[in-house]
Every structure is written in C-alpha cells, then in structure tokens.
Amino acid sequence: MNPYTIHIQPTTNPAIVKFETNQFLTRHDSFEFKNIEEAAKSPLAQQLFYLPFVKTVFITQNFIAIEKYNIVEWNDVQEEVADQLKEYLNSGSEIIKTEEVSTSKKVPVTVYAESTPNPSVMKFVANKKLVIAPIEFKNIDDTKNAPMARKLFNFPFVKEIFMDENYISVNKYDVADWNEITMEIREFIRIYIEEGNEVMTKQELETETSEENVSQSNKPSAKVQAVEPRDLDEISQQVVDILDEYIKPAVASDGGNIMFDSYNPETKTVKVILQGACSGCPSSTATLKSGIETMMRDMLHGHVSYVEAVNG
C-alpha cells in the first residue's frame, strides 16, 4: 500500500494550518468537529483533540485543517502534529466511521465542458477535487486503479484521458464530432461523481531519477513520474521551478500538463513530457519554441538554447 505523506500548508488565518495528504481521506464529504464529543464519528479527530491546543478539526478530501488555541505557536508544534497524523494514517486506522459515510449519498455536482487549443481534446471541469496529482491514461490497460477512466474508455470514441485536480481532459478519435458527444460525456462524468463513485482506488506518486524518466517517457503509464529535487543539478532545478511557477498554470488552464524530463548541459537542451491536451496538439510545437523556449533562454542566460518534447 502506498504510504501516506503529509505536507504542512499555512493559511491566511494564523490560527489554522492545513496538513495535506498524498491520498484522499474522504470521497466527497467534508467534516468539521469543534470538540471531542462532536468527533465521535471520527477516531482520527478524537485523537487530535487529546492535544490541548486543538480547537477545531476539519477533515475533507485530501487535507486535515486544524485551528489551535493561542497557548502555542504553530512553528513549535506543527512538525509533531504532522508526524502523528502520518503515523495514524499509515497504521490503517479508521478516519471516519463507515456508518457515517453513505456510499449511496448524492452530492451536488456541476460539470462544464471547455474547449482546448487541441481540437481533439475537450476539458470537463467539476466543482469537486478528483485526483491528488496529474495522471494520464493512454489506454484501458492503464486503468487498474481508476474505475472512472475505465468506464470512460467504454465509449468507443475515447482515445486517451488525462486528469488533474478538478478536471478531466478527454482525447477523442476523429470518428466522432465534439458537437455530438460532449453532452454525453459531461453527463456521464457528472452522474458518476454525484453518485459517490470512486475516481481512483489509489494513486501513487512514482519518484524516479531523470535517467529513468528518459527511458520510461515513451511508455504508457498511469503513475505520475517525478524527479526528486535532490537528484537534480542546479540548472535542472531552476528549469523545474520555471515550469512549476510560470508554465504549468497556463498549460493546466488549457487542459494539459508539462513535466520535466531531462537537461543536457552540453547541448543546452531541456526535454519535457507533454500530457493531456498538450500531447499531440498541433500548436504545441509552436508553443514550445515561441513561448517556453524563449522564456528558458531569457531566464537562464547561456544555459538553455533548446526545449524539446520527448513525446511531441
């Protein structure tokens, strides 16, 4: 089983800190507990209330938010809380008592369709978080842990699927026109989520070295590939930072994703992996050259001359 990890995330309220997890804690439900009696339905929340500074516990899809009393500062206790949460979650103990979570309970869901620069790809955006991290499915064989994607592949015109945060990008075969199938897919996604069905049974973050990424980049995979920062040289890390801060948000708005693959200091070439609407997009090459490559040259003077997509 993929172990839980905890990321500490401050909020605009200094009394509240979010402890984000790499896996979903609940399907679509959110729970708020103001004392240990209210927390009777959550063994995890009850345990947290044994910490004398805990005022309120909020549990939602992929994070636990805790509001504290003023008797302590978060900087003094947040690491200890994160360790306790990680230990509890990895012990397999119950988060919310099963009788409190109704699998048949419907939740209000809205889904809208949004066109992308890639005419073969439509982006379907939900008002619910669907996945923890970007994930791509090249075919039905990749969907072992993704029942929703597996069902989407039952539509004969679905070619590839990409999911990130609260949206799904669907790449279709040319046999169908979006005007004819958009409503059908949108309604399927909406009803599937509304009925409380699982999007992913589990989702793993697969960490590899850049050399391994090069060898695996052309292979279909339903796991998110990432490079540990400690494995990167200084320029490669700067490339990753530029991608994350300046490029990924814009790419995500178009229903796609871009990932760092490798950097060659001899040829001054950055290789990236395109996913979702970006993969196979007619305008992706132009975007790489006129946008991303130019930005890399300007921001990393003398270190980057070319940007290439290994699957472009």
Side-chain angles (χ1 to χ4, degrees), residues 37-300:
E37 288 185 355
E38 287 187 6
K41 65 180 68 175
S42 172
L44 172 57
Q46 281 192 317
Q47 180 168 309
L48 288 170
F49 277 111
Y50 280 99
L51 299 172
F53 54 82
V54 171
K55 182 179 180 180
T56 306
V57 177
F58 183 80
I59 300 176
T60 188
Q61 286 180 285
N62 73 312
F63 70 82
I64 299 160
I66 300 176
E67 181 183 10
K68 69 172 181 65
Y69 288 105
N70 293 329
I71 59 173
V72 297
E73 296 297 326
W74 272 121
N75 286 339
D76 297 328
V77 298
Q78 62 186 19
E79 294 293 341
E80 180 183 349
V81 174
D83 289 342
Q84 287 189 26
L85 287 172
K86 185 162 61 174
E87 181 180 355
Y88 184 94
L89 293 172
N90 286 318
S91 71
S93 300
E94 200 170 30
I95 300 169
I96 303 292
K97 290 184 178 179
T98 54
E99 62 266 23
E100 300 294 339
V101 182
S102 173
T103 56
S104 62
K105 177 185 176 182
K106 290 191 175 184
V107 293
V109 174
T110 60
V111 176
Y112 68 87
E114 186 177 288
S115 59
T116 74
N118 188 340
S120 296
V121 177
M122 187 71 72
K123 179 180 176 182
F124 297 89
V125 185
N127 64 332
K128 301 288 180 182
K129 192 178 182 79
L130 304 176
V131 293
I132 301 294
I135 188 164
E136 187 173 46
F137 308 94
K138 291 291 188 181
N139 54 57
I140 199 168
D141 287 340
D142 291 340
T143 63
K144 177 183 177 181
N145 301 316
M148 185 181 192
R150 180 175 289 269
K151 287 185 177 295
L152 279 168
F153 274 115
N154 288 336
F155 293 100
F157 44 76
V158 171
K159 182 179 181 181
E160 296 176 6
I161 298 166
F162 174 77
M163 299 181 183
D164 191 10
E165 293 288 336
N166 68 325
Y167 72 84
I168 301 170
S169 291
V170 176
N171 191 336
K172 70 171 181 65
Y173 288 104
D174 292 337
V175 294
D177 188 271
W178 279 122
N179 290 330
E180 300 168 351
I181 63 176
T182 296
M183 183 65 72
E184 184 179 6
I185 296 179
R186 185 181 71 83
E187 280 301 288
F188 166 79
I189 293 172
R190 184 187 65 79
I191 293 171
Y192 186 94
I193 300 171
E194 188 176 71
E195 291 179 345
N197 297 307
E198 285 187 312
V199 177
M200 301 286 299
T201 55
K202 67 176 181 177
Q203 185 172 0
E204 299 175 359
L205 182 62
E206 183 178 83
T207 302
E208 303 177 345
T209 64
S210 57
E211 182 179 349
E212 287 171 331
N213 272 349
V214 172
S215 64
Q216 296 293 328
S217 59
N218 292 316
K219 295 181 180 181
S221 175
K223 293 183 179 179
V224 182
Q225 295 178 346
V227 181
E228 282 286 353
R230 64 175 179 271
D231 295 330
L232 298 179
D233 59 81
E234 182 180 355
I235 300 302
S236 295
Q237 185 57 56
Q238 291 181 44
V239 169
V240 171
D241 292 342
I242 292 171
L243 289 174
D244 288 346
E245 184 173 355
Y246 298 101
I247 299 170
K248 281 192 175 185
V251 170
S253 68
D254 287 334
N257 187 41
I258 184 169
M259 298 195 307
F260 174 77
D261 183 88
S262 62
Y263 167 67
N264 187 326
E266 295 182 2
T267 61
K268 299 180 180 180
T269 299
V270 171
K271 291 187 178 182
V272 296
I273 300 170
L274 301 178
Q275 294 180 312
C278 298
S279 180
C281 177
S283 62
S284 63
T285 301
T287 301
L288 279 174
K289 294 301 177 184
S290 64
I292 300 172
E293 187 174 274
T294 300
M295 181 180 292
M296 292 288 180
R297 286 175 176 173
D298 291 343
M299 299 183 75
L300 298 172

